[in-house]
Amino acid sequence: MSSIIALIPVLIFFVFWIFVIWFLLTLVKSSNERNMLLREISRKLDGLQNNNNIN
């Protein structure tokens, strides 16, 4: 029984680091998606600006 109780801090430690890694991966993924969206918007705005300069 005491060995199971002794494993609880180790399990909490691993769960904490798994959560941190998951959070960082989610943050990086959302940042990449946001950057792709902003890049697409920028391209479309550049296209509109170029069309206005031609006319």
Side-chain angles (χ1 to χ4, degrees):
M1 181 68 176
S2 64
S3 63
I4 294 173
I5 293 174
L7 288 177
I8 291 175
V10 174
L11 291 175
I12 291 172
F13 178 77
F14 282 126
V15 168
F16 170 76
W17 283 110
I18 289 171
F19 177 75
V20 168
I21 291 170
W22 170 80
F23 178 76
L24 290 176
L25 289 175
T26 304
L27 187 67
V28 168
K29 182 180 176 186
S30 66
S31 295
N32 285 339
E33 290 174 357
R34 184 175 56 242
N35 285 341
M36 287 174 44
L37 181 62
L38 289 172
R39 198 173 295 126
E40 182 180 337
I41 291 170
S42 176
R43 284 188 201 125
K44 287 182 180 182
L45 287 174
D46 287 341
L48 288 175
Q49 186 178 18
N50 289 339
N51 287 339
N52 287 338
N53 289 340
I54 294 172
N55 293 333

